[in-house]
Amino acid sequence: MKLLLYVVLFCAMFSCALTGVAPAATPLDDFSGNRPDSSKWYGRFWYEDGLIMVREVTGGKLVSKIGGRTDDNGIASNSTGLIPSEEVTSFSAKVSYIEGAYGPAVDDNDMYGLFAEISGNFYKTAEGAGGDVGSSIGIRYQEDNQGTTLEIFARVYTPSGQIDTPFTTTITPGQEYILKIDYDGDHTLTFSVSDGSQTESHAVTGPTRSGATDGPGLYLGSSIIAAGNIIGGGYVHATFDDVMVNGSLYDDFSSAPLDGNKWIDHEIVREIRDNRLQMNVQNTFGEPSADNQIYLQPQHITNYFQADVIVSGDSVYNGDAHGEALVYGSFYNSMHDGTASSYNDSEGDIYAGTTVSQDANGNLQPQAWVVQCDDSQCDQISLLYGQNFSSCQVQADTPTTFSVENREADATIIFHCDQDELSYQLTGPLYAPRYKLRKLKTSVKSNGNGTGYIKAAFDNVFVKKSRKKSPWNLFLPAILTTGAKK
């Protein structure tokens, strides 16, 4: 009993907490599922188009995945275009449908299908409104109350409508099929599918030719298409191999990543791997910024945002390029008073967050920052605050915890890199942001003289801050219990 009195007296003098061990906050998402949760995340601004996106050369094939909602026009597409140097009369590829499914909340009648296809423009017509005559052949997945179906789907697109061509070839998931489009130089297109032993072909006569197309516009990839201009959703995974142009091998994907001399779209990975959200992105052409990002659903947004960041030592940069992994959000607007009619899109919105930058030598530097959008599209920004974390050491392939917090009482933004803390107090008129956002993002930036590929992942996202524990909480309950027994 005497020990108990001493402890109570000590705590009365020095304000010890007698509340026991504070419960730790639980993560909003630890990415333990097979796919990103659309109730927590969306892939593009205001809709989930591309919540899952993979365009990656691996295992000698081009892997193509897309998942999530379509846009308001009913399409979510993941395609990459060829850069042929000659007029094209023949285009083919080996295509394998791996898996797919409609979204759980999607009405089957609202969906046109999930596709793995090749497509191209081959000539122009003066008929109707005039313009390119396009074509595509692919594997289409559909669902209805009778089950699921896989079929070959071919279509000619004209300015005045579409011409569909039915096929009877049976499609098996995981098997490769050679899909091919041949053009006769006039206005006939021949579609064919081969399983290696049998070939089915159908010729389609299109509208009268008026001239050559402005560009062949050859593409391959996966897509989710709704039945009309409505929102649909789903997931499709396909692979492509042995792309042929005019009877010659164009790319067999024997080397990775995608070759920028052959393809107009860079690699990107946004999916769950090994219980983490993998977010790789390639900058092939020295663009100012090649980005890969995911947004938190509005109902989960709080004043606190935290995530573990893991940047791979396998990331590569050339020239002036460097990679970035960011945890950030928008917290205020400094120019408009918060009424809907007063906003000029993003103008005045204030973003704050943390970034870990990686240079060509693999050096990793964590930073905290606050910026203000100076125009409606946030193309022009003002840096309000920028500071490197001094004691937080970020190592490649090792998780580092980053957080950004808005302390509303005094408009102070608090940043953490593990235990290293920085803060910045905003001043002046402050209103609600036009767009209240929280984002995880990776980028490869360049001033036009560099290329690169960042490979990074995120894990353990929190939107509630863990309560700090008093050191007394670690042993005080045991002391009190011991004292009571005496």
Side-chain angles (χ1 to χ4, degrees), residues 25 36 73 80 89 92 107 226 254 258 333 335 339 368 383 405 424 458:
N73 296 318
T80 184
T89 58
S92 69
D107 188 326
S254 58
L258 272 175
N333 188 291
M335 298 183 182
T339 59
L383 179 65
E405 177 185 4
Y424 177 75
F458 297 87

Side-chain angles (χ1 to χ4, degrees), residues 111-360:
M111 290 295 295
Y112 193 59
L114 311 176
F115 294 84
E117 62 185 347
I118 66 171
S119 63
N121 298 329
F122 292 90
Y123 71 95
K124 280 184 176 293
T125 181
E127 294 183 16
D132 284 335
V133 174
S135 60
S136 67
I137 181 171
I139 300 172
R140 177 168 69 168
Y141 167 96
Q142 289 184 306
E143 295 178 11
D144 58 28
N145 56 12
Q146 302 298 315
T148 63
T149 59
L150 283 174
E151 63 179 358
I152 295 296
F153 180 86
R155 170 174 281 183
V156 174
Y157 302 84
T158 77
S160 56
Q162 294 87 35
I163 306 171
D164 292 345
T165 302
F167 279 74
T168 60
T169 299
T170 300
I171 302 300
T172 302
Q175 182 175 335
E176 283 189 328
Y177 298 87
I178 299 174
L179 305 184
K180 188 177 182 184
I181 306 171
D182 288 304
Y183 172 54
D184 71 348
D186 188 9
H187 63 294
T188 298
L189 295 156
T190 300
F191 301 97
S192 63
V193 56
S194 173
D195 61 5
S197 59
Q198 294 183 325
T199 300
E200 181 182 0
S201 299
H202 298 278
V204 178
T205 300
T208 303
R209 173 190 168 101
S210 65
T213 179
D214 292 335
L218 303 180
Y219 291 87
L220 53 80
S222 53
S223 60
I224 305 166
I225 302 180
N229 294 330
I230 57 177
I231 294 175
Y235 169 78
V236 60
H237 171 193
T239 65
F240 297 84
D241 200 0
D242 291 345
V243 178
M244 308 286 288
V245 174
N246 294 341
S248 298
L249 181 64
Y250 185 81
D251 202 342
D252 63 0
F253 305 111
S254 58
S255 61
L258 272 175
D259 186 343
N261 295 314
K262 297 179 179 179
W263 303 94
I264 62 176
D265 298 280
H266 56 241
E267 285 200 6
I268 187 169
V269 173
R270 184 167 60 247
E271 68 171 350
I272 292 177
R273 294 181 179 177
D274 299 323
N275 294 323
R276 291 172 172 172
L277 178 65
Q278 194 68 39
M279 291 185 62
N280 306 342
V281 66
Q282 178 190 21
N283 188 333
T284 309
F285 305 107
E287 305 159 81
S289 185
D291 302 324
N292 185 2
Q293 55 198 0
I294 191 170
Y295 296 78
L296 193 65
Q297 288 283 9
Q299 66 268 25
H300 297 297
I301 291 178
T302 69
N303 280 332
Y304 187 77
F305 192 39
Q306 172 186 313
D308 291 346
V309 179
I310 308 97
V311 180
S312 172
D314 292 334
S315 304
V316 178
Y317 312 98
N318 300 294
D320 66 2
H322 72 275
E324 296 181 350
L326 303 89
V327 178
Y328 72 109
S330 56
F331 294 92
Y332 292 100
N333 188 291
S334 62
M335 298 183 182
H336 304 282
D337 63 11
T339 59
S341 60
S342 74
Y343 287 110
N344 181 23
D345 210 349
S346 293
E347 184 183 51
D349 275 358
I350 293 175
Y351 286 80
T354 58
T355 298
V356 55
S357 299
Q358 185 181 40
D359 64 19

Side-chain angles (χ1 to χ4, degrees), residues 81-95:
L82 286 71
I83 311 176
S85 59
E86 56 186 326
E87 184 177 350
V88 176
T89 58
S90 176
F91 176 36
S92 69
K94 290 180 179 178
V95 182

